[in-house]
Amino acid sequence: MRLNLTPYDLPDRKLMNREEDDFLIWQPSKDKIVLGQSNQLEQSVNFEEVYTDHIPVYKRPSGGHTVLLTSKTIVISVVVMEDELSKPHAYFDIFNDVVICALKKLGVNGLAKKGISDITIGDRKILGSSIYRSRNKLLYHAVLNVAESPVKIARYILHPTKEPDYRNGRDHEAFVTSLMEQGYQIEIDKIIDQITKELEKQKAG
Amino acid sequence: MGYVFNFPDIGEGLEEGIIAEWYVKIGSEVETGDPLVKMETDKVVTDIPSPRTGIVTKTYGKVGEVIEVGSPLVEINIAGEEEVKQEEVLEEEGAGVVGVIEVAGKDDVMPVSDEVVTSTKKVEESGRRKVLATPVARALAKDLEVDITLIAGTGPGGRVMKDDIRNFQSNMNGKQTDSNSKALSIEVSKDLDELGEVEVVQMSQVRKTIARNMIHSKQNAAHMSLFDEAEVSELVALRDKIKGKYQEQGVKISYLHFLLKAIALTLKKFPSLNSVMNMDEGTITLKKYYNLGLAVDAPQGLVVPVLKNVDQLSIVQISQQSNDIARRAREGKLSMNDLKGGTFSVTNFGSIGGRFAVPVINYPQAAILGAGKIYKKPVVKNNVVLPGVVMPLSISVDHRIVDGGEVTRFMNDIIEYLENPYLLLVE
């Protein structure tokens, strides 16, 4: 049994070559696993299940832990070009605030920022984000769980080698949640539209 | 001369990163800003740029290895300078490859980290201090269960050595014996919870950002402050005369708006107060645009949105724009652009009630001016004591960039404008 990494050709690949501020919000069409830059396959995924279910595995340029992308998740990618980039936490704050603002407008309550760059409802995670930064370009990646079952995540993804304080050793089922699981049945298109509006506002200043 | 570049804190407050990719090798020529290495922390992958121009003479660590913040990453032979001085490099027996050479530099003491998982309550309460130490010393400290952050190093650049650990431990053993008779009082004071009810709250992201920025400013700028007062009777009269007219149009004009205009006009005459210093490159960038950051006491904490090109705005335009930006700051609706590009900051703590303060510079800016609460007091005019109205002013400058005489003259000109506010309407 052998798993190979698929070359990173996901929709936000072309965004990384942009030379101006831009963003892309997209809904994955099929299940796929994306490793963080230094994640090792054997420490990150359940080999047998991933192999049996033919789930392609990619490695993204940014940091953070391994994620499962499905059609019930949304991926938010933003590129910022600046001569003097601020430190990463400033961008985590700005873009995670954009998502929070959009979700609040759609009626989601109890949102909070926790850990280094997560968004939670209560103490359960609904979004994780990471950043890749070069000299004058920054790429922000986030995955929002709209309706995916944490059980499915646990099927493919192993418990991470590092975890934020607030996780307290909880397994995926106890730690991750989705908007749907929290009682918010919002169409994915509506969420994408609202986050797009908020990011457009940011872009326009 | 050899320059040892340590892995900097990239802003997450984490203590270590993994080497993801080396862009240079021994012998590579690098210029300031060229990427040296790609590092990964928990959530960020970032290229670390070279701080100096020169030739790489040593790299520390291989791809996949963990490097602690503050530990050496590369050694660069600076072009045109002498070879590495051997006495700057001190190794202890058995020292490992990573972290052996730890030359004292500006990063000796790292900012307090707030994302770090700390193992004891004591460390959380007292804050963490990043220390320079040889790997051997670190290992010894671990074996002896000694908190290395409490030890003053006697090695080069304050580096903690093996002997420092042993001396510290023997001193502590002595103190523990001496203090047994006072055990009761120490035990009582050890746990603050026993003194009364306490509430421990999680820091918000905004609060963490504020904390980092404040420490960064205090550690990197040479703060110097000056206090003065402007007699603003004429400004009060002028504002009273015009405020009604504009209030009907929905524009609320305050004293702060006159002050902003006065600052922008005065900055044109004192370029060093509108500049940024780069010590590594030996440059000061004088900015020819005048964007004023307004410190706003928002519900989520301090934010500093920026009012652009204030020198080109009328008092009414300043009022409209600053009222709008302050409202959006309080409602949490600022965009990224609202927070970018400030060249000088203003804090209006007087709107709450204080008179003087020592404002903390919004680093890397060169200065911040604080306006205190306007109040009545006797003033002397033409040798006659008269009732006056004064606005207290406090300014902090980065003394590396701005000299004492310069800031005093700057303040004099601001006061001149505030005491003769009609000048602000014609300039």
Side-chain angles (χ1 to χ4, degrees):
Chain A
M1 187 170 56
R2 180 183 167 88
L3 282 178
N4 291 318
L5 283 179
T6 307
Y8 194 85
D9 59 354
L10 299 181
D12 54 6
R13 179 72 182 87
K14 62 184 178 186
L15 201 67
M16 289 153 57
N17 297 324
R18 300 282 292 174
E19 294 301 323
E20 58 184 3
D21 292 0
D22 204 352
F23 66 86
L24 180 70
I25 305 171
W26 52 287
Q27 178 185 9
S29 53
K30 294 178 181 170
D31 294 354
K32 46 185 68 78
I33 287 168
V34 182
L35 306 181
Q37 175 65 214
S38 69
N39 292 166
Q40 301 300 316
L41 259 175
E42 59 275 16
Q43 294 172 350
S44 307
V45 302
N46 283 320
F47 259 65
E48 198 169 331
E49 284 75 6
V50 172
Y51 183 81
T52 306
D53 296 350
H54 303 291
I55 308 292
V57 183
Y58 301 81
K59 181 174 272 197
R60 63 178 180 270
S62 55
H65 294 297
T66 302
V67 291
L68 173 68
L69 305 185
T70 76
S71 59
K72 295 174 182 175
T73 63
I74 292 173
V75 184
I76 303 151
S77 307
V78 186
V79 163
V80 178
M81 298 291 300
E82 258 182 70
D83 288 341
E84 292 178 27
L85 285 164
S86 296
K87 293 200 169 181
H89 61 82
Y91 297 97
F92 280 135
D93 277 353
I94 286 169
F95 295 122
N96 286 345
D97 279 344
V98 163
V99 176
I100 287 175
C101 182
L103 293 178
K104 276 185 178 173
K105 286 182 180 173
L106 293 168
V108 181
N109 297 317
L111 296 159
K113 290 184 282 189
K114 289 195 177 171
I116 294 172
S117 58
D118 294 344
I119 295 178
T120 62
I121 294 179
D123 65 350
R124 296 182 67 187
K125 177 176 173 177
I126 58 158
L127 176 143
S129 59
S130 61
I131 277 176
Y132 171 76
R133 186 179 71 161
S134 64
R135 187 174 184 178
N136 59 353
K137 183 187 288 189
L138 181 140
L139 177 68
Y140 161 93
H141 265 305
V143 180
L144 174 67
N145 188 5
V146 179
E148 192 51 77
S149 163
V151 174
K152 185 170 179 178
I153 295 171
R155 174 175 170 78
Y156 298 123
I157 312 273
L158 294 174
H159 196 101
T161 50
K162 283 185 178 178
E163 62 176 38
D165 286 352
Y166 81 98
R167 182 163 183 155
N168 289 323
R170 288 179 289 169
D171 58 22
H172 289 309
E173 287 95 327
F175 176 60
V176 179
T177 189
S178 69
L179 291 174
M180 194 164 98
E181 190 181 53
Q182 294 294 313
Y184 300 103
Q185 298 206 13
I186 310 169
E187 290 171 28
I188 278 193
D189 285 348
K190 279 189 181 171
I191 299 172
I192 292 176
D193 284 349
Q194 194 62 48
I195 297 174
T196 301
K197 279 182 195 167
E198 300 301 325
L199 281 171
E200 288 286 4
K201 279 191 211 167
Q202 279 287 346
K203 204 174 164 188
Chain B
M1 196 183 118
Y3 177 84
V4 177
F5 177 48
N6 296 331
F7 177 33
D9 180 352
I10 62 168
E12 286 179 272
L14 297 175
E15 286 211 321
E16 62 186 29
I18 298 169
I19 298 173
E21 182 180 352
W22 278 108
Y23 297 124
V24 296
K25 55 187 178 186
I26 293 172
S28 296
E29 291 183 22
V30 292
E31 293 189 6
T32 301
D34 285 351
L36 296 170
V37 58
K38 183 192 282 185
M39 296 294 297
E40 179 172 3
T41 62
D42 273 5
K43 297 289 180 180
V44 176
V45 173
T46 184
D47 290 348
I48 304 292
S50 175
R52 307 290 287 266
T53 296
I55 296 171
V56 173
T57 56
K58 191 164 187 176
T59 58
Y60 292 84
K62 296 174 184 168
V63 170
E65 285 186 357
V66 174
I67 300 286
E68 286 185 17
V69 169
S71 294
L73 264 180
V74 296
E75 209 171 292
I76 301 169
N77 198 20
I78 309 300
E81 295 184 26
E82 292 173 14
E83 292 297 310
V84 178
K85 290 178 185 170
Q86 287 304 310
E87 60 267 30
E88 287 183 356
V89 178
L90 190 63
E91 295 188 15
E92 288 190 305
E93 57 177 294
V97 174
V98 177
V100 174
I101 300 173
E102 301 192 60
V103 173
K106 61 185 174 60
D107 295 324
D108 283 359
V109 179
M110 303 302 294
V112 173
S113 167
D114 53 13
E115 295 286 355
V116 175
V117 179
T118 48
S119 57
T120 66
K121 188 176 178 185
K122 184 177 181 182
V123 174
E124 283 175 4
E125 288 173 353
S126 62
R128 290 182 69 89
R129 172 177 158 262
K130 185 75 187 169
V131 295
L132 289 174
T134 63
V136 173
R138 285 187 196 282
L140 181 63
K142 200 172 178 183
D143 286 347
L144 300 176
E145 297 184 342
V146 169
D147 183 352
I148 202 166
T149 64
L150 300 175
I151 302 173
T154 58
R159 191 176 308 129
V160 177
M161 315 295 285
K162 274 191 304 188
D163 287 346
D164 296 328
I165 306 280
R166 293 203 175 97
N167 290 338
F168 180 83
Q169 198 203 26
S170 56
N171 286 342
M172 285 307 292
N173 288 341
K175 281 181 185 171
Q176 278 169 10
T177 308
D178 294 344
S179 62
N180 283 343
S181 58
K182 301 172 188 170
L184 180 62
S185 62
I186 290 172
E187 278 177 15
V188 169
S189 62
K190 224 167 32 176
D191 192 350
L192 289 176
D193 295 10
E194 291 181 6
L195 298 177
E197 187 182 351
V198 297
E199 182 185 4
V200 178
V201 295
Q202 290 297 314
M203 289 168 74
S204 67
Q205 290 296 326
V206 172
R207 178 54 55 196
K208 289 177 183 175
T209 303
I210 292 169
R212 285 190 196 100
N213 291 346
M214 294 296 172
I215 289 169
H216 193 61
S217 176
K218 280 288 188 180
Q219 287 182 334
N220 288 284
H223 281 68
M224 189 267 276
S225 297
L226 176 74
F227 311 100
D228 211 332
E229 288 181 330
E231 203 291 308
V232 292
S233 297
E234 288 196 29
L235 176 60
V236 172
L238 173 62
R239 176 175 171 266
D240 285 347
K241 205 173 282 182
I242 63 175
K243 72 175 181 186
K245 177 185 170 189
Y246 289 101
Q247 205 152 15
E248 289 168 9
Q249 300 170 21
V251 182
K252 190 179 171 191
I253 296 178
S254 78
Y255 302 115
L256 172 68
H257 306 140
F258 290 91
L259 176 62
L260 294 175
K261 179 79 176 184
I263 290 169
L265 294 177
T266 310
L267 282 174
K268 287 188 162 185
K269 299 180 216 167
F270 296 89
S272 65
L273 279 94
N274 202 53
S275 70
V276 170
M277 173 181 275
N278 186 325
M279 290 274 278
D280 290 334
E281 294 181 2
T283 59
I284 294 175
T285 303
L286 305 172
K287 299 191 174 176
K288 304 293 173 72
Y289 51 93
Y290 305 92
N291 297 344
L292 304 186
L294 301 178
V296 176
D297 180 34
Q300 66 272 31
L302 175 70
V303 286
V304 189
V306 176
L307 207 57
K308 310 269 181 6
N309 301 312
V310 178
D311 59 312
Q312 298 167 29
L313 302 177
S314 68
I315 297 289
V316 175
Q317 288 170 323
I318 292 172
S319 304
Q320 288 170 321
Q321 293 188 21
S322 60
N323 289 340
D324 173 61
I325 210 165
R327 177 185 54 76
R328 285 190 287 118
R330 292 192 184 94
E331 293 173 357
K333 292 181 177 172
L334 292 173
S335 72
M336 202 162 65
N337 274 350
D338 289 327
L339 299 167
K340 287 200 301 193
T343 61
F344 182 103
S345 292
V346 181
T347 172
N348 183 29
F349 52 83
S351 64
I352 301 171
R355 288 188 183 174
F356 294 101
V358 181
V360 178
I361 295 165
N362 191 4
Y363 190 84
Q365 292 173 16
I368 179 170
L369 190 144
K373 180 181 170 66
I374 291 177
Y375 68 106
K376 293 179 181 174
K377 81 172 199 181
V379 295
V380 179
K381 284 184 181 172
N382 299 322
N383 289 327
V384 179
V385 178
L386 298 167
V389 185
V390 296
M391 178 191 286
L393 298 167
S394 310
I395 188 167
S396 293
V397 296
D398 187 340
H399 212 350
R400 297 176 308 158
I401 311 174
V402 184
D403 295 332
E406 209 170 5
V407 66
T408 310
R409 284 188 285 276
F410 175 83
M411 193 76 117
N412 288 346
D413 280 18
I414 295 279
I415 292 169
E416 175 79 12
Y417 274 124
L418 295 176
E419 295 187 346
N420 301 280
Y422 297 97
L423 294 173
L424 295 170
L425 305 180
V426 295
E427 287 198 36

